Amino acid sequence: MTTKTRTGQPPGAESPGDLRPTRYGAFSSDGSEYRITDPRTPRPWVNVIANPRLGLVVSQSGGGFTWIDNSQLAVVNRWQQDLTQDSSGKFLYMRDADSGAVWSLSPAPVWAPYQSFECRHGLGYTTFVSETAGIAARWTLFVHVADTVEFWRVELSNLTERPRNLEICAYLEWNCGVAPSPRREFTKLFLENEFEPSRRAVFARNHMWEVPSRRHGHWNTDFPYVAALACTDEVHSAQGDKTAFWGRYCDLRSPQALGEETWTPQFGRHGDAIAALRSRIALAPGAHHVLGYALAVAPSRREVEVLLERTARTEVIERSLDDSRAAWRARLAAHRVRTPDPTVDLLANDWLRYQAIASRLWGRCGYYQQSGAYGFRDQLQDSQVWLTIEPARCREQILLHAAHQFADGSVYHWWHPLSEQGHVTPMSDDLLWLPFVTASYLRETGALDVLADSAPYIDDPEPRPLSDHVLSAFRRVFARTSARGLPYIGAGDWNDGLSAVGLEEHGESVWLAHFLAGLLVEWAGIWRHAGREDLAAEFAARREALVRAVNAHGWDGEWYLRATLDDGSLLGSAKDRVARIFLNAQTWAVLADVAPPERAARCMAAVREHLLTEAGPLLLAPAFDAPIPAIGYITRYAPGLRENGGVYTHAATWAIAAACKVRDADLVGRLLTAINPAGKDPDRYWAEPYVLPGNVDGPASPHYGRGGWTWYTGSAAWLHRIVAEWVLGVRPEWEGLRIDPCLPPGWNRAEMTRPFRGHRYRIVIERSDDPRDRPGVQVTLDGVTQASNLIPPPAGPAALHEVHVRCR
């Protein structure tokens, strides 16, 4: 017989109507889960699960790690970044006490054969569903919605007709500090662990944190947290030393301790600190058993104990799982789309925003990169994901970044929470993302009072209004301008790999000129709304001069240059042998209205001719094939990798917006299809089909079409925004909602629900083939035909508004 689970299905059962099946798995019918049935995926396919402070990454094999507050400086368990083996993490072993057979509830570390298997990555949880030797198992990992505790819910069922005597053993290796931690023989000297039987928990702390202390120097401060792994069941054996658990020259596939009846515990400060907790479970025929584990982290031992007392109970774990799932559903519910492509829907409605929030904003990590830091430009852009659902969070992010600006307008390129260590560079674009995202917030909310919110500068503790911070950023960029009127590029200008183009403060950035020109017109309007006519006039004049300069000096004949080097040579010119054309210099010329109509058409035609591939638009072409120190480290990547002639997904999303702006629906469709991960051949693509990659190999790579650097990419928030605001065309402006769709061929209808300034809108967009309809967009609001495609700001009490759009 089988035992029903919380979902009402036997473990391993598939739902009918799964989407986009491949040999490795498929989306659930509603798109909210990706179900992996073959664990030997081309590369680890992971989930990033987080609340604002604590999170974990877990792969389909069970590998992964947990962090608190900073995914590089405060990593709880030891993990090695080896995407070929993917063999380190936090694991649950099962052992049949009668036969001695051993397996694991995730494929790693044992890799024993399963009778059935699924890894279900969902929004805020991952569940391993398996059947081995007549034992059905369901292991769900997730985090509390607010507390700094990770939960494991385990359900075991005896599918046989005989009693089963089982042993379950949880295992992890303590890190409690900076990761990666390759010098284990050194760092283990500072770890301490202790087993407390009454709490069924192993506690761990680290007496040395590899973050310097300003007062006491290097290697001379404690890790600021205590961690503990606790079990809800009785613990019959516990071990705290790696050698005692593994055995000499053994490995995680078959630890020696699992076959031993009695363990000799070794805890304290003189071993290699792990946590292993073994419990015995007797299951009658057809019976099932639920138990749980809590991995809790807090600043002190007592605070961890209190956290465990409150949470390390099966009923709390059950309720917390329901709360976590409900929180993600509620968080993403207010803004939804429906298009003819169900994979676009599942990405835009759930996975892209989940990726942006869990991985980029809260975790600041993925499997390819564990940053932990806030990038000044990075998390500011990501925070735009909050605008339609929780705009206050975007506002908080704006002020956080404003507080990491210097009084001269310069900013940290990145900084680490916990240590507040920051990196100052002469990069030229970072500081301008503060006015960019502030403008996005203002268009969405109309809340001019944000400009009065205050934050200190790094070098001036006196709080200053946000408007001063914004103006400081602009003034610094104005001061870093060439005699020709173009902004200097410095050590990079969004493309970090152009790291040497302007180190002598002579090289100019054409892309930054486009970006700045767009901001100037935006802020001329904002200053006007704020009653600052002097600034409005100044910014309008600067915009006009900059547009003249970039069209005089940045146009190469068929497309825009990317930059000039310190010695005056050109980058991104048709005269170059490599890197003749760059994507961003064309798309932002369109998006910022710098290019006159004829030039806009020509530079987008150049994108089609030179950069468009089946994998997406290349960031540049042809790829650099040898290092050029005067340009930067981008030239040191192998051809076709990442920024060097690959598809850089962040920039690819902007290309979709530019295609929408020039009304090239065919290009919109091709680009959207090209970067959609759900439609890829997984054996060629390698990467997860449910989240975006940072990059895809270009044609100069022998692995053309291979995805990489998944999860930790700013493209997730951007693609959601561009589908909503450009493809479906529902864009917030000062004067209301602009409805200007550019639907791909074959899309005859699309729908959206979204909030706007306290009201809700249900929008239906239909393509009209009726020759009697006039060309353009016709909009009705609550049954009333509008004079234009701009819906005015809502007035009166909050209400639901019906919008019907016909476009031809």
Side-chain angles (χ1 to χ4, degrees):
M1 65 177 290
T2 61
T3 302
K4 298 294 183 182
T5 68
R6 297 180 81 213
T7 62
Q9 291 182 295
E14 295 186 8
S15 298
D18 282 355
L19 298 174
R20 292 295 176 112
T22 71
R23 58 174 289 191
Y24 299 106
F27 288 96
S28 61
S29 58
D30 66 356
S32 65
E33 286 186 339
Y34 195 86
R35 298 173 176 175
I36 299 164
T37 53
D38 180 352
R40 297 187 182 275
T41 52
R43 275 293 183 268
W45 289 3
V46 311
N47 198 0
V48 180
I49 302 167
N51 66 32
R53 293 195 59 201
L54 181 133
L56 69 141
V57 185
V58 59
S59 77
Q60 88 295 337
S61 76
F65 57 92
T66 298
W67 72 86
I68 179 171
D69 290 331
N70 188 312
S71 56
Q72 182 179 160
L73 302 186
V75 179
V76 177
N77 69 291
R78 193 163 184 242
W79 174 78
Q80 296 298 310
Q81 188 185 53
D82 184 336
L83 274 60
T84 298
Q85 286 191 332
D86 192 29
S87 59
S88 60
K90 310 183 297 287
F91 302 117
L92 283 174
Y93 292 95
M94 292 297 303
R95 181 175 180 271
D96 187 316
D98 296 322
S99 70
V102 174
W103 65 97
S104 47
L105 295 193
S106 58
V110 178
W111 287 98
Y114 293 116
Q115 293 166 274
S116 66
F117 169 81
E118 277 191 346
C119 171
R120 299 180 177 180
H121 288 319
L123 306 177
Y125 65 93
T126 285
T127 299
F128 294 97
V129 184
S130 65
E131 183 182 333
T132 305
I135 299 297
R138 184 180 293 260
W139 174 24
T140 300
L141 299 90
F142 64 102
V143 299
H144 192 275
V145 293
D147 288 334
T148 53
V149 58
E150 171 185 330
F151 292 120
W152 305 351
R153 179 190 182 274
V154 183
E155 182 177 352
L156 302 171
S157 301
N158 180 2
L159 306 183
T160 70
E161 297 180 355
R162 59 187 174 88
R164 305 296 294 273
N165 296 305
L166 304 173
E167 296 171 348
I168 186 169
C169 180
Y171 173 86
L172 62 82
E173 190 171 346
W174 294 113
N175 184 71
C176 295
V178 176
S181 178
R183 303 183 304 278
R184 184 62 174 184
E185 286 304 305
F186 177 67
T187 55
K188 74 178 187 181
L189 303 176
F190 305 94
L191 286 164
E192 178 180 7
N193 60 0
E194 175 190 351
F195 176 55
E196 188 172 330
S198 63
R199 298 186 185 275
R200 303 179 297 278
V202 174
F203 292 81
R205 61 178 300 182
N206 194 340
H207 293 278
M208 190 277 289
W209 191 27
E210 291 183 278
V211 171
S213 164
R214 291 177 182 173
R215 168 65 179 85
H216 300 292
H218 194 54
W219 290 344
N220 197 22
T221 186
D222 288 342
F223 181 60
Y225 305 99
V226 175
L229 177 67
C231 182
T232 61
D233 269 21
E234 180 182 356
V235 174
H236 296 91
S237 310
Q239 185 55 265
D241 179 69
K242 182 175 178 179
T243 301
F245 183 76
W246 285 34
R248 295 178 184 174
Y249 306 106
C250 296
D251 58 31
L252 277 174
R253 285 184 179 241
S254 53
Q256 180 177 299
L258 294 183
E260 296 174 342
E261 179 68 22
T262 303
W263 292 0
T264 302
Q266 297 183 35
F267 291 92
R269 295 191 60 181
H270 295 83
D272 195 345
I274 66 165
L277 299 173
R278 181 169 67 176
S279 301
R280 297 190 177 101
I281 300 168
L283 283 180
H288 74 280
H289 179 73
V290 174
L291 70 156
Y293 297 86
L295 180 58
V297 192
S300 70
R301 169 70 175 260
R302 182 57 191 149
E303 288 171 280
V304 174
E305 292 172 347
V306 170
L307 195 54
L308 291 177
E309 289 166 2
R310 184 158 48 84
T311 63
R313 303 194 302 274
T314 53
E315 66 274 15
V316 175
I317 294 174
E318 297 274 353
R319 186 170 64 250
S320 297
L321 178 56
D322 291 336
D323 291 345
S324 176
R325 287 172 165 166
W328 278 107
R329 285 195 300 269
R331 185 172 291 124
L332 304 178
H335 191 183
R336 311 290 287 181
V337 303
R338 185 175 182 182
T339 75
D341 186 339
T343 64
V344 170
D345 296 353
L346 63 88
L347 288 170
N349 289 330
D350 291 326
W351 286 99
L352 294 177
R353 290 183 293 171
Y354 175 75
Q355 178 180 358
I357 295 168
S359 173
R360 289 282 293 185
L361 287 165
W362 290 349
R364 300 182 300 285
C365 75
Y367 232 44
Y368 291 77
Q369 178 181 0
Q370 297 77 53
S371 167
Y374 286 104
F376 195 92
R377 73 161 81 100
D378 303 277
Q379 276 67 42
L380 263 176
Q381 291 176 75
D382 298 327
S383 72
Q384 294 173 115
V385 75
W386 295 118
L387 286 174
T388 58
I389 51 177
E390 295 182 61
R393 288 185 183 266
C394 180
R395 188 168 181 158
E396 290 170 4
Q397 197 77 37
I398 290 169
L399 293 175
L400 175 67
H401 289 244
H404 289 84
Q405 181 187 40
F406 294 89
D408 68 357
S410 62
V411 300
Y412 281 144
H413 183 56
W414 52 254
W415 77 92
H416 274 291
L418 295 183
S419 71
E420 286 299 306
Q421 292 171 300
H423 183 46
V424 179
T425 77
M427 287 189 181
S428 55
D429 74 305
D430 288 330
L431 67 175
L432 286 178
W433 290 101
L434 182 65
F436 182 93
V437 176
T438 302
S440 295
Y441 175 84
L442 286 167
R443 284 196 308 275
E444 182 67 41
T445 65
L448 269 171
D449 62 342
V450 71
L451 297 178
D453 287 358
S454 63
Y457 292 110
I458 296 168
D459 53 348
D460 182 355
E462 184 69 25
R464 301 295 302 167
L466 179 60
S467 58
D468 283 10
H469 286 267
V470 166
L471 198 54
S472 295
F474 277 119
R475 295 292 183 212
R476 179 168 176 80
V477 174
F478 297 160
R480 297 180 69 194
T481 300
S482 75
R484 303 196 305 173
L486 298 179
Y488 290 134
I489 189 170
D493 64 352
W494 178 85
N495 190 332
D496 292 3
L498 300 176
S499 55
V501 170
L503 290 178
E504 297 175 10
E505 205 74 342
H506 298 300
E508 302 160 319
S509 171
V510 174
W511 171 80
L512 189 64
H514 298 325
F515 184 56
L516 177 58
L519 284 172
L520 288 171
V521 70
E522 184 94 64
W523 275 89
I526 293 171
W527 296 130
R528 193 167 294 112
H529 281 281
R532 296 295 304 273
E533 291 295 338
D534 56 332
L535 290 175
E538 178 194 344
F539 276 48
R542 287 185 178 276
R543 151 84 185 192
E544 185 178 345
L546 182 57
V547 170
R548 281 199 307 269
V550 74
N551 277 297
H553 305 298
W555 181 250
D556 193 54
E558 294 297 326
W559 57 76
Y560 285 94
L561 300 168
R562 181 61 176 83
T564 63
L565 277 63
D566 279 324
D567 64 4
S569 56
L570 307 180
L571 182 63
S573 170
K575 301 179 182 68
D576 293 331
R577 183 182 64 83
V578 294
R580 298 173 68 242
I581 180 171
F582 284 72
L583 180 63
N584 284 355
Q586 318 317 317
T587 56
W588 279 87
V590 171
L591 291 172
D593 291 316
V594 170
E598 185 269 337
R599 285 187 176 181
R602 288 167 72 181
C603 65
M604 291 304 291
V607 168
R608 271 184 171 271
E609 180 179 355
H610 299 287
L611 298 175
L612 183 60
T613 74
E614 62 174 313
L618 305 179
L619 190 64
L620 64 87
F624 294 104
D625 54 13
I628 305 175
I631 291 177
Y633 74 77
I634 188 175
T635 67
R636 299 180 182 276
Y637 286 120
L641 296 187
R642 291 182 61 76
E643 294 102 320
N644 185 21
V647 177
Y648 209 74
T649 318
H650 193 154
T653 66
W654 294 336
I656 297 173
C660 289
K661 186 155 188 174
V662 299
R663 316 303 300 170
D664 190 340
D666 177 72
L667 182 57
V668 171
R670 291 179 65 181
L671 291 171
L672 197 57
T673 298
I675 69 169
N676 185 337
K680 305 290 188 180
D681 171 4
D683 287 308
R684 179 185 178 190
Y685 180 60
W686 287 23
E688 296 98 324
Y690 43 91
V691 292
L692 287 183
N695 53 274
V696 177
D697 285 16
S701 165
H703 302 289
Y704 176 35
R706 175 183 61 181
W709 222 266
T710 55
W711 284 94
Y712 196 66
T713 164
S715 59
W718 269 111
L719 184 57
H720 170 265
R721 183 176 179 184
I722 282 163
V723 167
E725 295 188 7
W726 288 96
V727 181
L728 273 63
V730 182
R731 289 195 294 280
E733 296 184 359
W734 272 104
E735 295 77 17
L737 279 177
R738 179 77 61 185
I739 313 293
D740 187 27
C742 187
L743 302 182
W747 285 26
N748 293 321
R749 181 185 172 94
E751 301 175 21
M752 178 190 294
T753 56
R754 65 120 63 209
F756 182 62
R757 302 187 187 177
H759 290 236
R760 291 188 301 132
Y761 291 80
R762 185 159 54 213
I763 302 164
V764 176
I765 302 165
E766 292 182 309
R767 192 196 302 275
S768 172
D769 295 322
D770 190 337
R772 295 172 296 180
D773 286 336
R774 65 179 185 270
V777 177
Q778 302 171 52
V779 178
T780 63
L781 171 64
D782 296 328
V784 179
T785 300
Q786 303 296 292
S788 72
N789 64 341
L790 181 67
I791 298 174
L800 173 64
H801 302 281
E802 301 286 345
V803 179
H804 188 260
V805 181
R806 289 178 68 83
C807 52
R808 179 171 176 264

